[in-house]
Amino acid sequence: MQKIIVTGGAGFIGSNFVHYLITNHADIHVTVLDKLTYAGNKENLSGLPEDRFTFVKGDIADVDLVDSLVKETDAVVHYAAESHNDNSLENPYPFIHTNLVGTYVLLEACRKYNVRYHHVSTDEVYGDLPLREELPHSGTGPGEIFTETTPYNPSSPYSASKAGSDLLVKAWIRSFGLKGTISNCSNNYGPYQHIEKYIPRQITNILCGIKPKLYGEGKNVRDWIHTDDHSRAVWLVLTKGTIGETYLIGADGEKDNKTVMEMILELMGQPGNAYDHVKDRPGHDRRYGIDSSKLQTELGWKPIHTDFREGLSKTIEWYKNNEQWWRSQKDAVEAAYSKNGQ
Ligand code: NAD
Ligand code: TDX
């Protein structure tokens, strides 16, 4: 049986990846290493078979703990992170600790034991793109869509810390021969996403009788992908990707925030204008857009969840049916936003 450590496996995307592994790959044993910050929830992993799954509560920056776990494993898939841009604008420190120092500790352990390492990252490392309406051409030229060769240009402390962690991985690959790969994915949606994030925040606002909140004019574009499509892509990169390479993951899901807001309202039976415009995010990235042709041609990946409306509708159902999962955090999340005028 192959042994895989999934860091951050109690968070949104990490837990979806763990479910994907346990369901689809019978010969894998998963060890989740997770600190259980405000964003981690052990409930996301309930019901997994005990003979194929171990949970370890701990910090990826804990050198001794990481060493003892990595020594016994075949691969590390690194999801753990401080992941929310707005939080990074309030207090960047945890982002430096986890995303940079934590990644460094994992890299050192993987180097020492020659363990396969996959680094889960974000398209935000590339900065942002002009809105399509501002582009003269098809939107696929240099500077019009992200590719694996787009220069790094992060905007927020979060994206800068992720960019820094990617660069550490590239250095460990080149200088130390680390058996590493990197994937940079666009915005995920689906079950188990923390209610601080855009889509679940609006769904749970409506369920609580609070008006949804749109930053600025809502023209900013995000390239949405279902988290299950992300999981399949990470698995392919881990098992079939070329060592040393970076793969972009995205499902041609560009939508502006206003359109997504109106879709949520419609699917939840509300008038399309029943939301508040609130203070914009400082340094707010305008558009993300992914060219995933390398992943598609080299590794044969294709997104399955291509109907965004259907995926969104199922996600809304999940939050309706799992109120006990999010309810206890709602007041604190909204109080923190409202202190900021958001
Ligand atoms: P999340 O905030 O939902 O989960 C992060 C998890 O990491 C939590 O379980 C948390 O407890 C854990 N964690 C945090 N600090 C830790 C530490 N020091 N040691 C151990 N565990 C720690 O995040 P997410 O949205 O699931 O994102 C997961 C990864 O995917 C991140 O690396 C993020 O940059 C990347 N990513 C996210 C998106 C997205 O749309 N959410 C898109 C592309 C890439
Ligand atoms: O209440 C809101 N209203 C709003 O208009 C919130 C919370 C967000 N927004 C906007 C800001 C963004 O344009 O919605 C968009 C999405 O916001 P987030 O959910 O905070 O995601 P984003 O900042 O795009 O980053 C996400 O995708 C890339 C993840 O949080 C990152 O971890 C990932 O790297």
Side-chain angles (χ1 to χ4, degrees):
M1 186 169 281
Q2 289 269 61
K3 290 187 275 184
I4 298 186
I5 293 173
V6 178
T7 71
F12 163 44
I13 311 183
S15 64
N16 277 289
F17 181 68
V18 171
H19 284 284
Y20 165 81
L21 281 183
I22 298 286
T23 309
N24 295 289
H25 299 284
D27 56 339
I28 301 282
H29 181 277
V30 178
T31 297
V32 165
L33 171 59
D34 197 297
K35 190 177 173 180
L36 295 181
T37 67
Y38 78 96
N41 187 342
K42 251 187 106 172
E43 255 189 67
N44 300 1
L45 300 165
S46 62
L48 294 173
E50 275 176 27
D51 56 332
R52 295 188 50 211
F53 169 71
T54 307
F55 183 81
V56 178
K57 181 172 188 277
D59 192 327
I60 55 165
D62 179 335
V63 175
D64 293 337
L65 174 64
V66 166
D67 188 282
S68 68
L69 294 173
V70 171
K71 193 186 204 167
E72 305 293 336
T73 199
D74 299 303
V76 171
V77 182
H78 177 32
Y79 285 92
E82 286 294 333
S83 69
H84 194 37
N85 276 300
D86 292 324
N87 293 345
S88 81
L89 297 165
E90 289 300 303
N91 177 17
Y93 178 70
F95 292 76
I96 304 302
H97 170 81
T98 292
N99 301 358
L100 287 166
V101 179
T103 298
Y104 156 77
V105 170
L106 290 167
L107 290 172
E108 279 293 76
C110 289
R111 161 158 95 111
K112 181 170 170 190
Y113 296 110
N114 195 26
V115 161
R116 174 80 173 88
Y117 174 88
H118 179 70
H119 187 71
V120 177
S121 193
T122 168
D123 58 0
E124 296 192 14
V125 299
Y126 301 115
D128 64 353
L129 300 162
L131 297 179
R132 285 195 175 274
E133 68 206 37
E134 296 161 4
L135 296 177
H137 305 301
S138 65
T140 57
E144 298 177 352
I145 194 151
F146 297 141
T147 71
E148 285 80 4
T149 56
T150 302
Y152 276 43
N153 188 26
S155 311
S156 73
Y158 161 69
S159 45
S161 68
K162 291 296 292 188
S165 72
D166 290 12
L167 297 180
L168 291 177
V169 178
K170 287 172 194 271
W172 260 244
I173 291 168
R174 175 158 174 162
S175 298
F176 300 129
L178 177 84
K179 293 186 293 185
T181 42
I182 300 174
S183 55
N184 297 84
C185 188
S186 60
N187 284 61
N188 284 222
Y189 74 98
Y192 301 115
Q193 185 167 31
H194 195 276
I195 55 166
E196 69 192 353
K197 302 295 192 326
Y198 181 57
I199 288 179
R201 183 182 183 205
Q202 313 317 330
I203 296 170
T204 54
N205 273 356
I206 295 168
L207 293 175
C208 291
I210 302 168
K211 269 194 173 177
K213 312 291 179 200
L214 188 67
Y215 292 176
E217 290 302 305
K219 282 184 159 188
N220 306 63
V221 170
R222 296 296 181 262
D223 189 354
W224 294 99
I225 180 173
H226 194 279
T227 189
D228 288 345
D229 283 330
H230 186 185
S231 291
R232 280 190 308 106
V234 167
W235 173 253
L236 275 177
V237 176
L238 179 71
T239 54
K240 298 202 168 71
T242 305
I243 299 298
E245 290 291 306
T246 290
Y247 296 85
L248 257 54
I249 307 173
D252 296 328
E254 283 186 38
K255 278 177 193 56
D256 66 59
N257 293 338
K258 184 164 175 283
T259 301
V260 174
M261 179 69 88
E262 287 165 354
M263 214 183 272
I264 294 171
L265 285 162
E266 187 212 322
L267 288 167
M268 296 185 74
Q270 304 287 313
N273 60 357
Y275 60 87
D276 293 330
H277 288 278
V278 293
K279 203 180 89 187
D280 207 350
R281 175 183 285 170
H284 198 171
D285 282 343
R286 286 164 300 168
R287 178 169 71 90
Y288 306 138
I290 291 266
D291 175 354
S292 66
S293 43
K294 177 173 173 181
L295 178 71
Q296 304 213 18
T297 26
E298 286 187 18
L299 304 183
W301 176 86
K302 279 216 173 337
I304 291 173
H305 301 274
T306 47
D307 186 339
F308 179 71
R309 195 187 165 79
E310 187 188 311
L312 188 58
S313 168
K314 286 192 175 138
T315 304
I316 291 169
E317 282 310 301
W318 191 87
Y319 283 91
K320 274 189 190 161
N321 294 334
N322 290 279
E323 186 167 339
Q324 92 297 340
W325 184 86
W326 55 265
R327 191 65 190 82
S328 62
Q329 301 217 29
K330 187 64 185 169
D331 293 348
V333 168
E334 288 310 310
Y337 274 126
S338 94
K339 214 172 71 187
N340 256 341
Q342 292 179 317

mmCIF file with all atom_site columns, all heavy atoms in Angstrom, residues 253-275:
data_model
loop_
_atom_site.group_PDB
_atom_site.id
_atom_site.type_symbol
_atom_site.label_atom_id
_atom_site.label_alt_id
_atom_site.label_comp_id
_atom_site.label_asym_id
_atom_site.label_entity_id
_atom_site.label_seq_id
_atom_site.pdbx_PDB_ins_code
_atom_site.Cartn_x
_atom_site.Cartn_y
_atom_site.Cartn_z
_atom_site.occupancy
_atom_site.B_iso_or_equiv
_atom_site.pdbx_formal_charge
_atom_site.auth_seq_id
_atom_site.auth_comp_id
_atom_site.auth_asym_id
_atom_site.auth_atom_id
_atom_site.pdbx_PDB_model_num
ATOM 1   N N   . GLY A 1 253 ? -13.786 28.594 -16.466 1.00 0.00 ? 253 GLY A N   1
ATOM 2   C CA  . GLY A 1 253 ? -14.978 28.986 -15.698 1.00 0.00 ? 253 GLY A CA  1
ATOM 3   C C   . GLY A 1 253 ? -15.024 30.463 -15.334 1.00 0.00 ? 253 GLY A C   1
ATOM 4   O O   . GLY A 1 253 ? -15.562 30.820 -14.290 1.00 0.00 ? 253 GLY A O   1
ATOM 5   N N   . GLU A 1 254 ? -14.488 31.316 -16.213 1.00 0.00 ? 254 GLU A N   1
ATOM 6   C CA  . GLU A 1 254 ? -14.445 32.746 -15.864 1.00 0.00 ? 254 GLU A CA  1
ATOM 7   C C   . GLU A 1 254 ? -15.843 33.342 -15.722 1.00 0.00 ? 254 GLU A C   1
ATOM 8   O O   . GLU A 1 254 ? -16.671 33.222 -16.636 1.00 0.00 ? 254 GLU A O   1
ATOM 9   C CB  . GLU A 1 254 ? -13.700 33.527 -16.965 1.00 0.00 ? 254 GLU A CB  1
ATOM 10  C CG  . GLU A 1 254 ? -12.205 33.379 -16.902 1.00 0.00 ? 254 GLU A CG  1
ATOM 11  C CD  . GLU A 1 254 ? -11.491 34.292 -17.907 1.00 0.00 ? 254 GLU A CD  1
ATOM 12  O OE1 . GLU A 1 254 ? -11.930 35.446 -18.116 1.00 0.00 ? 254 GLU A OE1 1
ATOM 13  O OE2 . GLU A 1 254 ? -10.499 33.837 -18.499 1.00 0.00 ? 254 GLU A OE2 1
ATOM 14  N N   . LYS A 1 255 ? -16.054 34.008 -14.573 1.00 0.00 ? 255 LYS A N   1
ATOM 15  C CA  . LYS A 1 255 ? -17.322 34.707 -14.340 1.00 0.00 ? 255 LYS A CA  1
ATOM 16  C C   . LYS A 1 255 ? -17.061 35.898 -13.449 1.00 0.00 ? 255 LYS A C   1
ATOM 17  O O   . LYS A 1 255 ? -16.273 35.808 -12.511 1.00 0.00 ? 255 LYS A O   1
ATOM 18  C CB  . LYS A 1 255 ? -18.315 33.802 -13.613 1.00 0.00 ? 255 LYS A CB  1
ATOM 19  C CG  . LYS A 1 255 ? -19.004 32.897 -14.573 1.00 0.00 ? 255 LYS A CG  1
ATOM 20  C CD  . LYS A 1 255 ? -19.956 31.919 -13.986 1.00 0.00 ? 255 LYS A CD  1
ATOM 21  C CE  . LYS A 1 255 ? -20.297 30.914 -15.058 1.00 0.00 ? 255 LYS A CE  1
ATOM 22  N NZ  . LYS A 1 255 ? -19.111 30.251 -15.614 1.00 0.00 ? 255 LYS A NZ  1
ATOM 23  N N   . ASP A 1 256 ? -17.755 37.034 -13.733 1.00 0.00 ? 256 ASP A N   1
ATOM 24  C CA  . ASP A 1 256 ? -17.565 38.156 -12.809 1.00 0.00 ? 256 ASP A CA  1
ATOM 25  C C   . ASP A 1 256 ? -18.401 37.939 -11.554 1.00 0.00 ? 256 ASP A C   1
ATOM 26  O O   . ASP A 1 256 ? -19.374 37.175 -11.553 1.00 0.00 ? 256 ASP A O   1
ATOM 27  C CB  . ASP A 1 256 ? -17.842 39.498 -13.503 1.00 0.00 ? 256 ASP A CB  1
ATOM 28  C CG  . ASP A 1 256 ? -19.289 39.660 -13.897 1.00 0.00 ? 256 ASP A CG  1
ATOM 29  O OD1 . ASP A 1 256 ? -20.159 39.600 -13.009 1.00 0.00 ? 256 ASP A OD1 1
ATOM 30  O OD2 . ASP A 1 256 ? -19.550 39.818 -15.104 1.00 0.00 ? 256 ASP A OD2 1
ATOM 31  N N   . ASN A 1 257 ? -17.985 38.612 -10.474 1.00 0.00 ? 257 ASN A N   1
ATOM 32  C CA  . ASN A 1 257 ? -18.612 38.361 -9.175  1.00 0.00 ? 257 ASN A CA  1
ATOM 33  C C   . ASN A 1 257 ? -20.092 38.725 -9.162  1.00 0.00 ? 257 ASN A C   1
ATOM 34  O O   . ASN A 1 257 ? -20.897 38.072 -8.487  1.00 0.00 ? 257 ASN A O   1
ATOM 35  C CB  . ASN A 1 257 ? -17.877 39.157 -8.080  1.00 0.00 ? 257 ASN A CB  1
ATOM 36  C CG  . ASN A 1 257 ? -16.463 38.643 -7.858  1.00 0.00 ? 257 ASN A CG  1
ATOM 37  O OD1 . ASN A 1 257 ? -16.155 37.495 -8.178  1.00 0.00 ? 257 ASN A OD1 1
ATOM 38  N ND2 . ASN A 1 257 ? -15.593 39.491 -7.314  1.00 0.00 ? 257 ASN A ND2 1
ATOM 39  N N   . LYS A 1 258 ? -20.463 39.759 -9.925  1.00 0.00 ? 258 LYS A N   1
ATOM 40  C CA  . LYS A 1 258 ? -21.881 40.173 -9.959  1.00 0.00 ? 258 LYS A CA  1
ATOM 41  C C   . LYS A 1 258 ? -22.737 39.064 -10.570 1.00 0.00 ? 258 LYS A C   1
ATOM 42  O O   . LYS A 1 258 ? -23.814 38.742 -10.080 1.00 0.00 ? 258 LYS A O   1
ATOM 43  C CB  . LYS A 1 258 ? -21.987 41.469 -10.772 1.00 0.00 ? 258 LYS A CB  1
ATOM 44  C CG  . LYS A 1 258 ? -23.372 42.062 -10.816 1.00 0.00 ? 258 LYS A CG  1
ATOM 45  C CD  . LYS A 1 258 ? -23.297 43.517 -11.302 1.00 0.00 ? 258 LYS A CD  1
ATOM 46  C CE  . LYS A 1 258 ? -24.666 44.124 -11.491 1.00 0.00 ? 258 LYS A CE  1
ATOM 47  N NZ  . LYS A 1 258 ? -25.337 43.688 -12.726 1.00 0.00 ? 258 LYS A NZ  1
ATOM 48  N N   . THR A 1 259 ? -22.215 38.443 -11.639 1.00 0.00 ? 259 THR A N   1
ATOM 49  C CA  . THR A 1 259 ? -22.964 37.348 -12.284 1.00 0.00 ? 259 THR A CA  1
ATOM 50  C C   . THR A 1 259 ? -23.146 36.183 -11.320 1.00 0.00 ? 259 THR A C   1
ATOM 51  O O   . THR A 1 259 ? -24.236 35.598 -11.232 1.00 0.00 ? 259 THR A O   1
ATOM 52  C CB  . THR A 1 259 ? -22.187 36.879 -13.547 1.00 0.00 ? 259 THR A CB  1
ATOM 53  O OG1 . THR A 1 259 ? -22.057 37.990 -14.418 1.00 0.00 ? 259 THR A OG1 1
ATOM 54  C CG2 . THR A 1 259 ? -22.880 35.730 -14.247 1.00 0.00 ? 259 THR A CG2 1
ATOM 55  N N   . VAL A 1 260 ? -22.089 35.852 -10.587 1.00 0.00 ? 260 VAL A N   1
ATOM 56  C CA  . VAL A 1 260 ? -22.190 34.740 -9.630  1.00 0.00 ? 260 VAL A CA  1
ATOM 57  C C   . VAL A 1 260 ? -23.199 35.096 -8.535  1.00 0.00 ? 260 VAL A C   1
ATOM 58  O O   . VAL A 1 260 ? -24.030 34.270 -8.128  1.00 0.00 ? 260 VAL A O   1
ATOM 59  C CB  . VAL A 1 260 ? -20.800 34.403 -9.034  1.00 0.00 ? 260 VAL A CB  1
ATOM 60  C CG1 . VAL A 1 260 ? -20.908 33.357 -7.934  1.00 0.00 ? 260 VAL A CG1 1
ATOM 61  C CG2 . VAL A 1 260 ? -19.851 33.927 -10.134 1.00 0.00 ? 260 VAL A CG2 1
ATOM 62  N N   . MET A 1 261 ? -23.142 36.345 -8.068  1.00 0.00 ? 261 MET A N   1
ATOM 63  C CA  . MET A 1 261 ? -24.091 36.802 -7.036  1.00 0.00 ? 261 MET A CA  1
ATOM 64  C C   . MET A 1 261 ? -25.533 36.633 -7.532  1.00 0.00 ? 261 MET A C   1
ATOM 65  O O   . MET A 1 261 ? -26.394 36.095 -6.813  1.00 0.00 ? 261 MET A O   1
ATOM 66  C CB  . MET A 1 261 ? -23.813 38.281 -6.729  1.00 0.00 ? 261 MET A CB  1
ATOM 67  C CG  . MET A 1 261 ? -24.727 38.885 -5.701  1.00 0.00 ? 261 MET A CG  1
ATOM 68  S SD  . MET A 1 261 ? -24.404 38.198 -4.076  1.00 0.00 ? 261 MET A SD  1
ATOM 69  C CE  . MET A 1 261 ? -23.127 39.308 -3.493  1.00 0.00 ? 261 MET A CE  1
ATOM 70  N N   . GLU A 1 262 ? -25.787 37.087 -8.748  1.00 0.00 ? 262 GLU A N   1
ATOM 71  C CA  . GLU A 1 262 ? -27.160 37.023 -9.275  1.00 0.00 ? 262 GLU A CA  1
ATOM 72  C C   . GLU A 1 262 ? -27.620 35.574 -9.439  1.00 0.00 ? 262 GLU A C   1
ATOM 73  O O   . GLU A 1 262 ? -28.793 35.252 -9.219  1.00 0.00 ? 262 GLU A O   1
ATOM 74  C CB  . GLU A 1 262 ? -27.235 37.793 -10.613 1.00 0.00 ? 262 GLU A CB  1
ATOM 75  C CG  . GLU A 1 262 ? -27.159 39.288 -10.379 1.00 0.00 ? 262 GLU A CG  1
ATOM 76  C CD  . GLU A 1 262 ? -26.865 40.113 -11.638 1.00 0.00 ? 262 GLU A CD  1
ATOM 77  O OE1 . GLU A 1 262 ? -26.608 39.517 -12.717 1.00 0.00 ? 262 GLU A OE1 1
ATOM 78  O OE2 . GLU A 1 262 ? -26.855 41.346 -11.528 1.00 0.00 ? 262 GLU A OE2 1
ATOM 79  N N   . MET A 1 263 ? -26.679 34.692 -9.804  1.00 0.00 ? 263 MET A N   1
ATOM 80  C CA  . MET A 1 263 ? -27.028 33.272 -9.958  1.00 0.00 ? 263 MET A CA  1
ATOM 81  C C   . MET A 1 263 ? -27.397 32.654 -8.603  1.00 0.00 ? 263 MET A C   1
ATOM 82  O O   . MET A 1 263 ? -28.363 31.907 -8.488  1.00 0.00 ? 263 MET A O   1
ATOM 83  C CB  . MET A 1 263 ? -25.831 32.548 -10.577 1.00 0.00 ? 263 MET A CB  1
ATOM 84  C CG  . MET A 1 263 ? -26.220 31.426 -11.501 1.00 0.00 ? 263 MET A CG  1
ATOM 85  S SD  . MET A 1 263 ? -24.772 30.548 -12.134 1.00 0.00 ? 263 MET A SD  1
ATOM 86  C CE  . MET A 1 263 ? -24.384 31.471 -13.566 1.00 0.00 ? 263 MET A CE  1
ATOM 87  N N   . ILE A 1 264 ? -26.611 32.996 -7.566  1.00 0.00 ? 264 ILE A N   1
ATOM 88  C CA  . ILE A 1 264 ? -26.907 32.473 -6.221  1.00 0.00 ? 264 ILE A CA  1
ATOM 89  C C   . ILE A 1 264 ? -28.289 32.953 -5.785  1.00 0.00 ? 264 ILE A C   1
ATOM 90  O O   . ILE A 1 264 ? -29.124 32.170 -5.299  1.00 0.00 ? 264 ILE A O   1
ATOM 91  C CB  . ILE A 1 264 ? -25.834 32.932 -5.191  1.00 0.00 ? 264 ILE A CB  1
ATOM 92  C CG1 . ILE A 1 264 ? -24.476 32.318 -5.524  1.00 0.00 ? 264 ILE A CG1 1
ATOM 93  C CG2 . ILE A 1 264 ? -26.255 32.575 -3.769  1.00 0.00 ? 264 ILE A CG2 1
ATOM 94  C CD1 . ILE A 1 264 ? -23.305 32.876 -4.707  1.00 0.00 ? 264 ILE A CD1 1
ATOM 95  N N   . LEU A 1 265 ? -28.548 34.246 -5.987  1.00 0.00 ? 265 LEU A N   1
ATOM 96  C CA  . LEU A 1 265 ? -29.842 34.803 -5.558  1.00 0.00 ? 265 LEU A CA  1
ATOM 97  C C   . LEU A 1 265 ? -30.994 34.111 -6.294  1.00 0.00 ? 265 LEU A C   1
ATOM 98  O O   . LEU A 1 265 ? -31.994 33.718 -5.684  1.00 0.00 ? 265 LEU A O   1
ATOM 99  C CB  . LEU A 1 265 ? -29.866 36.317 -5.818  1.00 0.00 ? 265 LEU A CB  1
ATOM 100 C CG  . LEU A 1 265 ? -29.034 37.144 -4.832  1.00 0.00 ? 265 LEU A CG  1
ATOM 101 C CD1 . LEU A 1 265 ? -28.746 38.536 -5.385  1.00 0.00 ? 265 LEU A CD1 1
ATOM 102 C CD2 . LEU A 1 265 ? -29.735 37.252 -3.475  1.00 0.00 ? 265 LEU A CD2 1
ATOM 103 N N   . GLU A 1 266 ? -30.824 33.934 -7.592  1.00 0.00 ? 266 GLU A N   1
ATOM 104 C CA  . GLU A 1 266 ? -31.889 33.306 -8.385  1.00 0.00 ? 266 GLU A CA  1
ATOM 105 C C   . GLU A 1 266 ? -32.121 31.861 -7.917  1.00 0.00 ? 266 GLU A C   1
ATOM 106 O O   . GLU A 1 266 ? -33.263 31.447 -7.695  1.00 0.00 ? 266 GLU A O   1
ATOM 107 C CB  . GLU A 1 266 ? -31.483 33.334 -9.862  1.00 0.00 ? 266 GLU A CB  1
ATOM 108 C CG  . GLU A 1 266 ? -32.576 32.856 -10.799 1.00 0.00 ? 266 GLU A CG  1
ATOM 109 C CD  . GLU A 1 266 ? -31.997 32.177 -12.027 1.00 0.00 ? 266 GLU A CD  1
ATOM 110 O OE1 . GLU A 1 266 ? -30.954 32.651 -12.535 1.00 0.00 ? 266 GLU A OE1 1
ATOM 111 O OE2 . GLU A 1 266 ? -32.570 31.153 -12.453 1.00 0.00 ? 266 GLU A OE2 1
ATOM 112 N N   . LEU A 1 267 ? -31.017 31.110 -7.751  1.00 0.00 ? 267 LEU A N   1
ATOM 113 C CA  . LEU A 1 267 ? -31.154 29.704 -7.340  1.00 0.00 ? 267 LEU A CA  1
ATOM 114 C C   . LEU A 1 267 ? -31.762 29.585 -5.942  1.00 0.00 ? 267 LEU A C   1
ATOM 115 O O   . LEU A 1 267 ? -32.334 28.557 -5.591  1.00 0.00 ? 267 LEU A O   1
ATOM 116 C CB  . LEU A 1 267 ? -29.784 29.008 -7.367  1.00 0.00 ? 267 LEU A CB  1
ATOM 117 C CG  . LEU A 1 267 ? -29.219 28.718 -8.764  1.00 0.00 ? 267 LEU A CG  1
ATOM 118 C CD1 . LEU A 1 267 ? -27.738 28.326 -8.694  1.00 0.00 ? 267 LEU A CD1 1
ATOM 119 C CD2 . LEU A 1 267 ? -30.014 27.606 -9.455  1.00 0.00 ? 267 LEU A CD2 1
ATOM 120 N N   . MET A 1 268 ? -31.638 30.664 -5.140  1.00 0.00 ? 268 MET A N   1
ATOM 121 C CA  . MET A 1 268 ? -32.198 30.618 -3.785  1.00 0.00 ? 268 MET A CA  1
ATOM 122 C C   . MET A 1 268 ? -33.525 31.375 -3.690  1.00 0.00 ? 268 MET A C   1
ATOM 123 O O   . MET A 1 268 ? -33.998 31.685 -2.587  1.00 0.00 ? 268 MET A O   1
ATOM 124 C CB  . MET A 1 268 ? -31.164 31.143 -2.784  1.00 0.00 ? 268 MET A CB  1
ATOM 125 C CG  . MET A 1 268 ? -29.926 30.247 -2.737  1.00 0.00 ? 268 MET A CG  1
ATOM 126 S SD  . MET A 1 268 ? -28.707 30.709 -1.494  1.00 0.00 ? 268 MET A SD  1
ATOM 127 C CE  . MET A 1 268 ? -29.499 30.176 0.025   1.00 0.00 ? 268 MET A CE  1
ATOM 128 N N   . GLY A 1 269 ? -34.109 31.690 -4.865  1.00 0.00 ? 269 GLY A N   1
ATOM 129 C CA  . GLY A 1 269 ? -35.451 32.275 -4.893  1.00 0.00 ? 269 GLY A CA  1
ATOM 130 C C   . GLY A 1 269 ? -35.525 33.712 -4.415  1.00 0.00 ? 269 GLY A C   1
ATOM 131 O O   . GLY A 1 269 ? -36.556 34.162 -3.899  1.00 0.00 ? 269 GLY A O   1
ATOM 132 N N   . GLN A 1 270 ? -34.437 34.471 -4.592  1.00 0.00 ? 270 GLN A N   1
ATOM 133 C CA  . GLN A 1 270 ? -34.401 35.874 -4.157  1.00 0.00 ? 270 GLN A CA  1
ATOM 134 C C   . GLN A 1 270 ? -34.383 36.802 -5.380  1.00 0.00 ? 270 GLN A C   1
ATOM 135 O O   . GLN A 1 270 ? -33.902 36.403 -6.440  1.00 0.00 ? 270 GLN A O   1
ATOM 136 C CB  . GLN A 1 270 ? -33.124 36.149 -3.353  1.00 0.00 ? 270 GLN A CB  1
ATOM 137 C CG  . GLN A 1 270 ? -32.916 35.260 -2.159  1.00 0.00 ? 270 GLN A CG  1
ATOM 138 C CD  . GLN A 1 270 ? -33.865 35.602 -1.038  1.00 0.00 ? 270 GLN A CD  1
ATOM 139 O OE1 . GLN A 1 270 ? -34.039 36.763 -0.691  1.00 0.00 ? 270 GLN A OE1 1
ATOM 140 N NE2 . GLN A 1 270 ? -34.509 34.580 -0.483  1.00 0.00 ? 270 GLN A NE2 1
ATOM 141 N N   . PRO A 1 271 ? -34.826 38.074 -5.217  1.00 0.00 ? 271 PRO A N   1
ATOM 142 C CA  . PRO A 1 271 ? -34.689 39.027 -6.322  1.00 0.00 ? 271 PRO A CA  1
ATOM 143 C C   . PRO A 1 271 ? -33.209 39.232 -6.671  1.00 0.00 ? 271 PRO A C   1
ATOM 144 O O   . PRO A 1 271 ? -32.349 39.215 -5.778  1.00 0.00 ? 271 PRO A O   1
ATOM 145 C CB  . PRO A 1 271 ? -35.272 40.332 -5.747  1.00 0.00 ? 271 PRO A CB  1
ATOM 146 C CG  . PRO A 1 271 ? -36.012 39.951 -4.513  1.00 0.00 ? 271 PRO A CG  1
ATOM 147 C CD  . PRO A 1 271 ? -35.468 38.638 -4.024  1.00 0.00 ? 271 PRO A CD  1
ATOM 148 N N   . GLY A 1 272 ? -32.936 39.420 -7.966  1.00 0.00 ? 272 GLY A N   1
ATOM 149 C CA  . GLY A 1 272 ? -31.549 39.501 -8.446  1.00 0.00 ? 272 GLY A CA  1
ATOM 150 C C   . GLY A 1 272 ? -30.751 40.672 -7.907  1.00 0.00 ? 272 GLY A C   1
ATOM 151 O O   . GLY A 1 272 ? -29.517 40.689 -8.000  1.00 0.00 ? 272 GLY A O   1
ATOM 152 N N   . ASN A 1 273 ? -31.449 41.687 -7.331  1.00 0.00 ? 273 ASN A N   1
ATOM 153 C CA  . ASN A 1 273 ? -30.707 42.856 -6.824  1.00 0.00 ? 273 ASN A CA  1
ATOM 154 C C   . ASN A 1 273 ? -30.697 42.910 -5.290  1.00 0.00 ? 273 ASN A C   1
ATOM 155 O O   . ASN A 1 273 ? -30.364 43.941 -4.715  1.00 0.00 ? 273 ASN A O   1
ATOM 156 C CB  . ASN A 1 273 ? -31.306 44.147 -7.382  1.00 0.00 ? 273 ASN A CB  1
ATOM 157 C CG  . ASN A 1 273 ? -32.758 44.294 -6.972  1.00 0.00 ? 273 ASN A CG  1
ATOM 158 O OD1 . ASN A 1 273 ? -33.320 43.403 -6.318  1.00 0.00 ? 273 ASN A OD1 1
ATOM 159 N ND2 . ASN A 1 273 ? -33.364 45.413 -7.345  1.00 0.00 ? 273 ASN A ND2 1
ATOM 160 N N   . ALA A 1 274 ? -31.008 41.789 -4.643  1.00 0.00 ? 274 ALA A N   1
ATOM 161 C CA  . ALA A 1 274 ? -31.135 41.793 -3.173  1.00 0.00 ? 274 ALA A CA  1
ATOM 162 C C   . ALA A 1 274 ? -29.779 41.606 -2.492  1.00 0.00 ? 274 ALA A C   1
ATOM 163 O O   . ALA A 1 274 ? -29.579 40.675 -1.719  1.00 0.00 ? 274 ALA A O   1
ATOM 164 C CB  . ALA A 1 274 ? -32.106 40.703 -2.733  1.00 0.00 ? 274 ALA A CB  1
ATOM 165 N N   . TYR A 1 275 ? -28.835 42.490 -2.822  1.00 0.00 ? 275 TYR A N   1
ATOM 166 C CA  . TYR A 1 275 ? -27.519 42.414 -2.174  1.00 0.00 ? 275 TYR A CA  1
ATOM 167 C C   . TYR A 1 275 ? -26.994 43.822 -1.911  1.00 0.00 ? 275 TYR A C   1
ATOM 168 O O   . TYR A 1 275 ? -27.487 44.793 -2.515  1.00 0.00 ? 275 TYR A O   1
ATOM 169 C CB  . TYR A 1 275 ? -26.525 41.624 -3.033  1.00 0.00 ? 275 TYR A CB  1
ATOM 170 C CG  . TYR A 1 275 ? -26.261 42.198 -4.407  1.00 0.00 ? 275 TYR A CG  1
ATOM 171 C CD1 . TYR A 1 275 ? -25.275 43.154 -4.602  1.00 0.00 ? 275 TYR A CD1 1
ATOM 172 C CD2 . TYR A 1 275 ? -27.010 41.778 -5.512  1.00 0.00 ? 275 TYR A CD2 1
ATOM 173 C CE1 . TYR A 1 275 ? -25.039 43.693 -5.865  1.00 0.00 ? 275 TYR A CE1 1
ATOM 174 C CE2 . TYR A 1 275 ? -26.777 42.293 -6.772  1.00 0.00 ? 275 TYR A CE2 1
ATOM 175 C CZ  . TYR A 1 275 ? -25.793 43.256 -6.946  1.00 0.00 ? 275 TYR A CZ  1
ATOM 176 O OH  . TYR A 1 275 ? -25.570 43.779 -8.193  1.00 0.00 ? 275 TYR A OH  1
#
